[in-house]
Structure formats: structure tokens, C-alpha cells
Amino acid sequence: MNTDFRNANIVVLTGAGISAASGLSTFRDQGGLWDKYPVEDIASPEGYRRDPELVESFYNARRAQLDAPDVAPNTAHFALAKLEQEHQGRLFLVTQNVDDLHERAGSNQILHMHGELRKACCPVTMQPFFMSQPFAADNLCQCCDQPQRLRPNIVWFGEMPIGMGQIERAITECDLFISIGTSGTVYPAAGFMRLAKAFGAKAIDINLEPSYSSPFDTHLQGCATQQVPKVVE
Ligand code: BV8
């Protein structure tokens, strides 16, 4: 890490692009998830109410993909785990991703603001917990008098992302904001860079292409597996 930032408070925001090299589809690239599935039917509470089986099959398929032998953390995930080691307590990693590749690379302090594929939650309590079996009509919660159909622990459009207070505090206190592999189209995550800059942080964007119209201080254009290790070393 550049000597200027050795003692800095750093916030890293990751999106689907950091997991692309691990074989997980992004959303809005050519052939991405939203090319194959209508987002309003899949990633919204209304879509889930309309057709829970469709939504369950979408998330069951993505959960199964996480266990595929060729899906593993890549050098960008490992570089961030190394950065966490070096920046004990001063690195805040917030991810829009619902995969577990940051964990599998060794990162510990991770906030999944859009939820996690490997977790389910009761639609009443919204309490998340790890679940290995697939989502299905007879897969019911045990916490309610009237057992409820367990739903994916995923933040859908129109639902409040997880940990917003914690995220905003970290961003307003950081000296360096690094965005990796996100198109910057989904709020509130898409507004984090502006918030960081408003509080005086430097902002770096790592992306295959410039993802935001607004001015990052630095654009490192290229694959995350190449660019992230360079920033961290
Ligand atoms: C909320 C489910 C409020 C998880 C997802 C009008 C204007 C502004 C905002 C809105 C609006 N209308 C509605 C809104 C709000 C809405 C929103 O932002 N809509 C957008 C589309 C306009 N947001 C919400 O609804 C959020 N909630 O606002 O709640 C609220 C307040 C109080 C009380 C209640 C509610 C909820 C947002 C979360 C939605 N869930 N998905 C899942 O299934 O995985 S969104 C989905 O997009 C994923 O979560 C994903 O993480 C997220 C962002 O996508 P990216 O990660 O950026 O992926 P993408 O494919 O887009 O881009 C990949 C990038 O990587 C590209 O730039 C590519 O170039 C790059 N790349 C590719 N390969 C590589 C690479 N880079 C480097 N290396 C590579 N190898």
C-alpha cells in the first residue's frame, strides 16, 4: 500500500466485477444475470410474492454455483485479505456481492450490504442464518407460530440495505475510498464515493471500464485480478 495511505482509514466497496474472474456472472455486463432474468421478477419482494418458485430457482442455482470446483477466490480477493492483515482495524470492506469469496480468501471484517447467498431468513423476523438445503415451499422457519416459507437473505430492490449506519460512519471517517468492480448504478452504494469525497477522502476506481460519470481521483482501468494486487502491494 502506497506509503501515503499506510496509516489511513480505508473503505473498500466491491461489486460483481471482483468475482467475475472467479467465474461468477456480473449483472449488467453483456450476458450478465439481468440479461437472462427480468430483474423486477427476480430481485424484488413483489416478484417473490408473485412467483416464489422462480426466485427460489434463481437463488438455488447461484448457491449451487458457489460449490462448483472451479469457483474460488481470485487474486483480487486474496489481495484485500492481505490488506486487512496489514491494516488491522483500519480497513472497512463493504460488498454488494452476496457470494462468499471474500470470506474464502481470508477477509474477516466484511459487511454484505445486499445479503448473502448462503443464508436464509424468516420473512417475519428477517433474522438471517446459514442454510445448506435449497429454498422450497416446504422449507419453513421454526421461529413463528405459523411457520413461514424461508426466503433468501438477499436485499431486493425497494428493501433497506444492511448496515447502512455502520457504512456511512466508516465512509465519513475514511481517508481513502476504493471502489472495485461495480457499475455504480445501484443506490445507495452508488452514492458512497461522493459521500467519501465530500468528507475529504481520496477515491480510486478499479474497473474494466470507467464505471461512474462522477470524478474519481484515480481510475485504474483493467481486470481486478491485475489492478487490486498492485494497489495493495
Ligand atoms: C433501497 C440482489 C431504500 C442481490 C440487488 C431511481 C434513482 C435512484 C435510485 C433508485 C431509483 N429507483 C429506485 C431506486 C433505488 C434502487 C436503485 O438504486 N435502483 C437503480 C437500479 C436505479 N435501490 C434499491 O432499491 C436499494 N434499496 O434503496 O432501499 C429504502 C429506504 C428505507 C426503507 C426501505 C428501503 C436496494 C438495492 C439492492 C438491490 N439488490 N441484487 C443479488 O441478487 O445479488 S442489486 C444488484 O446490483 C446486486 O446486488 C449488485 O451487487 C448490485 C450492483 O451491481 P454491480 O455489483 O455493480 O454489478 P454490475 O454487473 O452492475 O457491474 C459490474 C461492474 O464490474 C461493471 O462496471 C464491469 O465493468 C466491472 N467488471 C466486470 N468484470 C470485471 C470488472 N471490473 C474489474 N475486473 C473485472 N474482471
Side-chain angles (χ1 to χ4, degrees), residues 5 35 48 66 68 75 107 131 180:
F5 293 114
D35 278 355
Y48 178 66
L66 284 187
T75 50
S107 288
M131 182 183 80
I180 303 171

Side-chain angles (χ1 to χ4, degrees), residues 14-18 20-21 26-29 33-34 42-43 58-59 62 96-98 114 154-161 180-188 206-209 211 222-225:
T14 60
I18 197 171
T26 62
F27 291 87
R28 297 169 185 84
D29 289 325
L33 289 169
W34 296 158
I42 292 289
F58 174 71
Y59 285 102
R62 289 173 67 196
Q96 299 170 93
N97 298 342
V98 293
H114 289 165
I154 297 290
V155 176
W156 287 323
F157 285 100
E159 295 186 322
M160 181 60 130
I180 303 171
T182 181
S183 59
T185 47
V186 175
Y187 289 82
I206 296 176
N207 199 303
L208 274 185
E209 78 257 331
S211 52
C223 184
T225 51

Side-chain angles (χ1 to χ4, degrees), residues 162-173:
I162 296 161
M164 282 308 296
Q166 203 183 342
I167 295 170
E168 283 160 350
R169 246 188 327 281
I171 289 176
T172 56
E173 292 164 5

